Structures are given as structure tokens and as C-alpha cells.
Amino acid sequence: MRREMFTGSAAVAVLLLTAGCGLAEKPPGQANAVQPAGDSKKVGSVYGADGGDGAYGAGSGADPAYGDGGSGADPAGGAAKNGPAGQLKVAELPELGAAVTDSEGFTLYRFDKDTPKPPKSACEGDCAAAWPAVAADDVTAGEGIDAGLLGSVARADGTRQLTLAGWPVYRYAKDAKPGDALGEGVGGTWHALGADGKPAAAAKAPAQGAGADPGAGAGAGAGAGAELSVAQNPMLGGILADAEGRTLYRFDKDSAWPMKIGCLGTCLDTWKPAEPVDKSKLSGIAAELVGTVKRPDGSEQLTIDCWPAYTFTGDKEPGDITGHNKQGLWFAMTDKGKKAKAAH
């Protein structure tokens, strides 16, 4: 591939590519390369670090605990509590279809990294703060729920968690009101719960390989173990998330044609270049759009249709979008590498 380097007074590196961008597999060692230019700090992967000093859109002044761009849920109340679910119900949720809710109408979830046989929860510690376990006490089966599928599993702290068809049941702390389903698709491993224990949207999920069963458990199905997936956000629609559920962003001072890296120096204190992913572990995104670029410090960065992808240190929980529209320069990315736009 022929390359042509342009230099200028600004501390950015530019690369012209003579072939189509992000549309073909490149041989090993032939990733799009950006030559060193300017100061570039070592890339880190700190999630939930200090949002920085305002450089490149940091420091909005909003409380970052649950994100100023999310649902606004109070982590101390409502759906964040791990109390009894009361009488379970089946409700029709937009774009998801029939899903299980508690007696107040809050959506219930399952985690692909759990196992149903035997029942076992893989969500502890910080995970359990974002995804409160539903207590097994005082739960009954309403219309559409098979009482024979209800059970419980002992958690590490000695409490008993509700199970449905063997799958441990959770709420999502960012669901602020009945009918919210902000947890659907987070990290490619969290799904609204169907009455049979499978993901509620399993029938509507895009196929990611012949014979994939979205309800088969950890390591199977489109969402299980995904390193890059499409998460549904109520404000922005489908946006990209990494394996930990962190929103991925693009920067207007970067470009895909010609290839340009504009986030260098102190910018990297706040915006962390996303690491490359395994193309066999994608959910909801075309593999030919996924690539990498070599940064000035020699590290490899994930690209989506040649747009470099970043995470934002101001995002504290999976699904946060606090970096969206920062300084009018940073935007959550769609599965096509485009800027996500607020739904009208």
C-alpha cells in the first residue's frame, strides 16, 4: 500500500491511504500506520479515572457517578435495590418484544457469563452495584410466567438470588422508570429476560454465525463474550460498546480520509484509545468495518470504518454516554463509524 506523509506545524500525524478504508482485511503488519508526531503519552485503559482538566472536552462539571447523559437513575432507589420482585409479569417492550418485569414494571435481566446448570452468578462486587441481584424472597409467577421455572441460587454474600429457568435474575441500576430497558445489549452480555430464560430479543438479534443460539449461555450466541457490540441507548439508538460495556467515541479532529490522529498529549489523559478486538467476537457490527491504526507511540488503536475509537474516562458505568457531544467534537459511534444522533 502506497503511503504519503504530510507534515505541518500542528502536532498531528496525517496519512493518505490510496486504497479503500476499513473494507478489506490487511495482512499482518500492514495496519494503517500513523507516524510519530508531537507529544504522545502511553495509552492506558483506566475506566472511571478522573475526567481530566478540561482538555479536549473533559470536566463537564456533571456528577459522573451514573453519567449525565444516561437515564438519570438514582442508584440508591427504585430499580437499584435488590429487593423482592413481587409478582413477575410479561410486558411488551419497544424493539424487544415480550420481556419479564417485576411487579412495578421494571425490566429484569440475565447475564451471559452466568450459568443456568448449575445456576451460578458471575456478577459480584462492582458489577453487582450496577446490576443488583433480585432477591428470591416473596416472588410469585404472574400471567405468562411458568412457576416451575422459578428458583434461587446462593450468592457469595450468603443471600439468595431469584433464578428463571436456572438463570440468575437482575435489575439494572440505570433503569429509572417502569418500561426502561437501558441494560439491553450492554457489553454484548446483558439482555432483557424472556419468560423462557432466554434473551427477550433473541429472535430479533442479528445472526453472527450459523447455528448460534443466543440463549445457550456463556460463550454462545451473538452477544456472549463479544469484544465489540451494539448497545441500545434510549437517547441515541444503537451505539458501539467494548467488552466492558464502555461507550466508544470518535473525535472530529481525527479523520478517516485522509487518516489523521488529532488526540495526542494531554488529550490522552481523558480519552483513551480503544484497544483492537478479535474479529470473531463481534455482535451487531460488520467485521469488514473493524480495523486498527498504529499510533505515534507505536500502540495499536481500534478503528471503525477507519475512524479511531476511544473511551471516555468520565464514563463511570457501562452504558454511560457522558462524553457524547463534548465541546461539539466528541460523539458516540454507530456500528458504521458514524456519529450517533439523538432520536427525534
Side-chain angles (χ1 to χ4, degrees), residues 183-206:
E184 171 59 33
V186 169
T189 55
W190 289 93
H191 303 283
L193 184 65
D196 57 358
K198 294 182 179 180
K204 299 182 180 181

Side-chain angles (χ1 to χ4, degrees), residues 240-328:
L240 289 180
D242 68 7
E244 298 177 43
R246 297 178 290 194
T247 300
L248 296 184
Y249 298 90
R250 50 175 277 180
F251 184 33
D252 272 0
K253 291 188 178 181
D254 291 346
S255 72
W257 190 267
M259 177 67 76
K260 182 173 73 173
I261 298 289
C263 183
L264 300 167
T266 58
C267 175
L268 298 176
D269 293 341
T270 302
W271 301 92
K272 303 300 182 181
E275 297 181 358
V277 300
D278 184 341
K279 287 191 178 184
S280 69
K281 297 180 179 180
L282 307 177
S283 178
I285 180 172
E288 60 265 25
L289 295 179
V290 179
T292 62
V293 63
K294 184 173 289 186
R295 293 184 56 82
D297 64 0
S299 63
E300 296 285 333
Q301 181 173 2
L302 173 69
T303 61
I304 306 299
D305 199 24
C306 283
W307 280 98
Y310 303 82
T311 57
F312 179 46
T313 58
D315 286 346
K316 303 301 180 181
E317 296 290 339
D320 279 355
I321 55 170
T322 61
H324 183 68
N325 204 26
K326 281 287 185 187
Q327 292 189 337

Side-chain angles (χ1 to χ4, degrees), residues 52-68:
D53 58 3
Y56 293 87
S60 66
D63 179 3
Y66 276 77
D68 61 352

